[in-house]
């Protein structure tokens, strides 16, 4: 018999954990006389629209002698016939390096930040003493922002084959196989670092090079072609192909390209606040009174509203998560969120952000949106005490324009400063946020509460500047330079960045 490719049905959360029940259910659904078959999860998602919560199940069923399709694992070519430079060792840089080794090309990676272990010490100083290391923080260092950004692997990318290959490579290097099945796969910030290290070790073992604390300080070109890089204002390396995978916060790289008069474009992005609720409250809202347990995960949400013709939406929602200080320089405050693999912290947090367009500003330069982003971050730093405390306000107090008398406990370790965010945030942000929050309160009964606290700002949602590239994936002004992923404006998360890194490698001609 041929493999029965898929079977779909719904069961309760408890039944979904019972493999014996599932086998009997599959046998009945397929009207099989024999139980001589195997089955494997293909897709799993939760349906909590009604009080009777269900799990949507999709299984592959196999009969005697049949096997599951083999995963697309990373395998190095073994014979390296050329080399390329990769600037940045986040998801795009890592997957570009792995893909280049598959194609027999040696990747030489320059990462401005430190390795995972050394990076942890700088993050501890940031949390405890508000000391920002501009080269080693939540955005810069081994694994990039992806290492400490929760490990969400959901993407709307239509390149499904590449999505599956990306997930299979994560599993190959230590991630749970659940990410191949879950509709919204998630690794967890506690597990990502060792996976990233395993990837780095594989890159080096197969002939690649990874250089930490190696900041690109200049680019060299001749006759419209890239010729090399300067590292740490000193050593020069010659390259004819450079993947630029520096992430959404490498403002110095943007400024360097601008000085060279290489084309840049202002790009739409989003800015707002990060809101934190008790996780139990979100569970009760989403699960109709039920709390998460061994059968249902901590609840999440996804919200969007149109306010005055402008999108306002939830971003990077973290069940059971932590709000982290993500500044990359002194004189600014930035927030982001992450969750451990079990998502078992007492708070849920999410960015709630307002869409911003270059058309919103009189400034028509490539830096219009970046300057707006920077001004908000600097103002928040000033009003919060010129340290890494964040300006904060209870949710209903924000809507009513009242400074909060006190603030509840928060997962944000550097601390909070009570302010009226209406006086801090630009009107284009505060006014649209207020209207959107009212709408969200209608969509999620209980969401609008003074037990929720706004932390400002959530500002690094994506790069506010795009580094253009043509159909060959190269910059139109300098051939051999491949602007890549989030830092160049072509990706929006770990998986899409990884895919873009691989696409840049595939676009290169080494024949």
């Amino acid at each position: 018999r041929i493999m029965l490719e898929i079977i779909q049905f719904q069961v309760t959360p408890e039944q979904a954990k019972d493999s014996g029940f599932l086998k009997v259910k599959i046998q009945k659904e397929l009207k099989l006389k024999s139980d001589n078959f195997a089955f494997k999860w293909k897709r799993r998602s939760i349906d909590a629209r009604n009080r009777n919560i269900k799990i949507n199940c999709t299984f592959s069923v196999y009969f005697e002698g049949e096997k599951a399709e083999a995963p697309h694992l990373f395998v190095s070519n073994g014979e390296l016939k050329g080399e390329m430079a990769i600037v940045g060792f986040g998801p795009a840089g890592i997957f570009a390096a792995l893909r280049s080794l598959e194609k027999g090309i040696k990747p030489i990676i320059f990462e401005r930040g430190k390795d995972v272990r050394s990076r942890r010490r700088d993050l501890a100083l940031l949390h405890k003493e508000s000391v920002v290391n501009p080269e080693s923080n939540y955005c810069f260092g081994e694994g990039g922002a992806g290492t400490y950004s929760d490990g969400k692997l959901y993407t709307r990318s239509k390149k499904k084959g590449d999505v599956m290959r990306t997930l299979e490579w994560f599993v190959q290097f230590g991630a749970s196989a659940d990410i191949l099945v879950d509709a919204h796969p998630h690794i967890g910030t506690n597990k990502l670092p060792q996976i990233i290290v395993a990837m780095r070790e594989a890159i080096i073992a197969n002939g690649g090079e990874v250089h930490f604390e190696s900041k690109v300080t200049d680019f060299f070109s001749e006759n419209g072609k890239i010729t090399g890089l300067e590292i740490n204002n000193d050593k020069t390396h010659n390259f004819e192909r450079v993947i630029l995978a520096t992430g959404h916060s490498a403002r110095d790289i943007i400024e360097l390209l601008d000085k060279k008069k290489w084309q840049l474009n202002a790009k739409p992005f989003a800015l707002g606040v990060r809101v934190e609720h008790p996780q139990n409250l979100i569970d009760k809202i989403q699960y109709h009174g039920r709390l998460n347990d061994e059968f249902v995960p901590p609840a999440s949400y996804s919200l969007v509203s149109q306010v005055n013709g402008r999108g306002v939406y939830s971003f990077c929602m973290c069940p059971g998560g932590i709000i982290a200080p993500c500044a990359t320089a002194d004189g600014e405050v930035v927030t982001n969120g992450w969750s451990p693999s079990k998502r078992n912290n007492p708070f849920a947090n999410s960015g709630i952000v307002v869409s911003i367009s270059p058309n919103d500003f009189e400034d028509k330069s490539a830096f219009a949106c970046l300057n707006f982003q920077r001004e908000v971050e600097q103002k928040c730093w000033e009003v919060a005490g010129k340290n890494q405390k964040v300006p904060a306000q209870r949710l209903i107090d924000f809507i009513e324009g009242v400074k909060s008398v006190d603030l509840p406990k928060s997962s944000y370790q550097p601390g909070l400063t009570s302010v009226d965010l209406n006086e801090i945030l630009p009107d284009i942000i505060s006014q649209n946020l207020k209207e959107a929050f009212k709408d969200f309160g209608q969509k999620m009964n209980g969401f609008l509460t003074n037990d929720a606290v706004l932390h400002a700002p959530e500002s690094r949602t994506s790069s506010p500047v795009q580094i253009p590239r043509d159909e060959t994936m190269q910059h139109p002004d300098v051939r051999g330079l491949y602007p890549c992923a989030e830092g160049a404006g072509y990706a929006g998360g770990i998986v899409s960045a990884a895919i873009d890194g691989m696409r840049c490698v595939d676009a290169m001609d080494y024949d």
Side-chain angles (χ1 to χ4, degrees):
R1 298 183 63 171
I2 62 170
M3 180 187 76
L4 294 180
E5 291 187 358
I6 58 170
I7 181 172
Q8 297 176 312
F9 49 76
Q10 284 190 328
V11 296
T12 68
E14 291 77 9
Q15 291 167 341
K17 297 278 188 177
D18 185 341
S19 59
F21 171 86
L22 292 173
K23 184 158 189 176
V24 172
K25 174 75 171 173
I26 291 170
Q27 186 175 2
K28 288 182 178 179
E29 290 287 326
L30 294 177
K31 299 179 181 179
L32 300 174
K33 294 181 180 180
S34 168
D35 65 357
N36 187 23
F37 65 89
F39 65 95
K40 179 181 178 181
W41 280 98
K42 185 178 179 67
R43 194 74 167 167
R44 176 172 53 221
S45 64
I46 190 166
D47 183 350
R49 291 174 294 178
N50 301 310
R51 185 169 294 276
N52 294 323
I53 298 171
K54 297 291 185 181
I55 303 298
N56 299 315
C57 307
T58 304
F59 292 99
S60 298
V61 182
Y62 305 90
F63 294 92
E64 187 175 359
E66 295 170 347
K67 296 181 180 180
E69 184 179 351
H72 185 144
L73 300 180
F74 162 73
V75 179
S76 177
N77 181 285
E79 183 178 343
L80 304 182
K81 59 187 177 183
E83 65 181 29
M84 73 170 76
I86 299 174
V87 182
F89 199 51
I94 291 170
F95 277 76
L98 292 170
R99 181 62 178 146
S100 70
L101 288 167
E102 278 198 328
K103 297 190 71 174
I105 306 163
K106 178 177 181 175
I108 301 176
I109 300 133
F110 299 100
E111 166 57 50
R112 68 193 298 165
K114 300 178 183 179
D115 64 89
V116 163
R117 180 170 298 190
S118 302
R119 194 177 172 191
R120 284 199 188 102
R121 291 191 284 270
D122 295 317
L123 294 179
L125 279 174
L126 178 56
H127 278 276
K128 296 174 183 178
E129 300 180 26
S130 291
V131 175
V132 180
N133 183 331
E135 308 302 340
S136 178
N137 45 62
Y138 272 99
C139 293
F140 301 148
E142 183 171 16
T147 305
Y148 298 102
S149 68
D150 187 59
K152 294 182 189 68
L153 302 178
Y154 176 70
T155 179
R156 290 184 175 88
S157 171
K158 295 181 180 179
K159 300 182 70 64
K160 295 299 183 183
D162 286 332
V163 170
M164 185 52 66
R165 174 166 58 181
T166 302
L167 299 180
E168 288 171 343
W169 285 8
F170 271 118
V171 172
Q172 180 180 357
F173 289 104
S176 166
D178 285 343
I179 67 172
L180 303 175
V181 173
D182 291 333
H184 289 80
H186 163 259
I187 293 177
T189 303
N190 55 317
K191 293 187 175 181
L192 267 169
Q194 55 263 41
I195 294 169
I196 299 300
V197 169
M199 289 177 164
R200 181 235 300 169
E201 290 174 345
I203 290 167
I204 294 171
N206 286 286
E209 297 180 15
V210 182
H211 302 276
F212 294 113
E213 298 183 73
S214 297
K215 180 178 179 179
V216 172
T217 49
D218 205 355
F219 297 90
F220 302 109
S221 65
E222 291 181 7
N223 302 318
K225 295 181 179 180
I226 199 79
T227 58
L229 303 172
E230 178 189 81
I231 305 299
N232 294 335
N233 296 301
D234 181 23
K235 195 171 182 180
T236 300
H237 300 260
N238 296 323
F239 292 102
E240 294 180 358
R241 298 168 183 84
V242 175
I243 291 180
L244 193 59
T246 50
H248 57 44
S249 292
R251 291 169 173 169
D252 58 310
I253 294 293
I254 297 295
E255 290 163 355
L256 179 57
L257 298 181
D258 183 59
K259 287 180 181 178
K260 293 186 170 297
K261 301 190 183 304
W262 293 347
Q263 184 182 341
L264 299 168
N265 301 319
K267 178 186 145 304
F269 78 118
L271 187 148
V273 297
R274 186 153 284 267
V275 61
E276 185 169 74
H277 289 78
Q279 180 63 50
N280 282 350
L281 174 61
I282 300 301
D283 290 337
K284 289 177 181 177
I285 294 171
Q286 297 295 75
Y287 292 155
H288 315 284
R290 176 175 178 166
L291 297 180
N292 77 80
D293 51 38
E294 62 180 304
F295 301 108
V296 294
S300 63
Y301 59 81
S302 178
L303 294 165
V304 63
S305 183
Q306 289 292 319
V307 182
N308 301 316
R310 191 182 298 272
V312 184
Y313 56 93
S314 57
F315 172 82
C316 185
M317 195 274 150
C318 300
I322 298 289
I323 298 180
C326 293
T328 52
D330 275 331
E332 65 187 28
V333 166
V334 179
T335 67
N336 200 349
W338 57 267
S339 300
S341 56
K342 293 183 179 180
R343 292 179 161 172
N344 55 355
N345 284 296
F347 299 106
N349 70 74
S350 177
I352 305 293
V353 294
V354 180
S355 299
I356 299 296
S357 165
N359 295 330
D360 292 323
F361 308 105
E362 292 183 7
D363 178 3
K364 299 306 176 186
S365 76
F367 289 79
C369 292
L370 189 152
N371 289 336
F372 176 79
Q373 178 193 61
R374 180 181 279 153
E375 287 167 7
V376 172
E377 294 171 359
Q378 291 175 345
K379 188 170 185 180
C380 287
W381 179 78
E382 289 173 0
V383 301
K386 296 186 177 182
N387 52 41
Q388 286 303 304
K389 288 186 176 181
V390 295
Q393 190 173 14
R394 292 178 183 263
L395 177 50
I396 293 178
D397 288 347
F398 169 67
I399 292 172
E400 296 179 349
V402 177
K403 180 180 176 181
S404 299
V405 174
D406 58 10
L407 295 169
K409 186 177 179 180
S410 164
S411 66
Y412 186 83
Q413 288 189 13
L416 314 181
T417 298
S418 180
V419 303
D420 182 359
L421 290 173
N422 293 282
E423 298 176 359
I424 307 305
L425 297 173
D427 287 346
I428 194 174
I429 302 298
S430 61
Q431 297 305 313
N432 287 298
L433 280 177
K434 285 196 285 190
E435 293 305 312
F437 277 127
K438 294 173 186 176
D439 183 38
F440 297 161
Q442 295 292 320
K443 294 175 177 176
M444 287 180 62
N445 185 25
F447 185 90
L448 212 58
T449 170
N450 247 3
D451 289 335
V453 180
L454 309 185
H455 303 61
E458 169 80 23
S459 52
R460 305 287 176 95
T461 53
S462 66
S463 174
V465 177
Q466 184 181 65
I467 307 173
R469 67 189 186 194
D470 59 21
E471 65 278 0
T472 69
M473 311 284 281
Q474 299 174 80
H475 193 286
D477 294 339
V478 55
R479 314 312 287 167
L481 181 65
Y482 294 79
C484 182
E486 287 207 50
Y490 299 101
I494 291 174
V495 171
S496 60
I499 289 171
D500 204 55
M502 292 188 287
R503 288 183 65 215
C504 284
V505 174
D506 290 340
M508 294 181 181
D509 181 7
Y510 271 84
D511 296 330

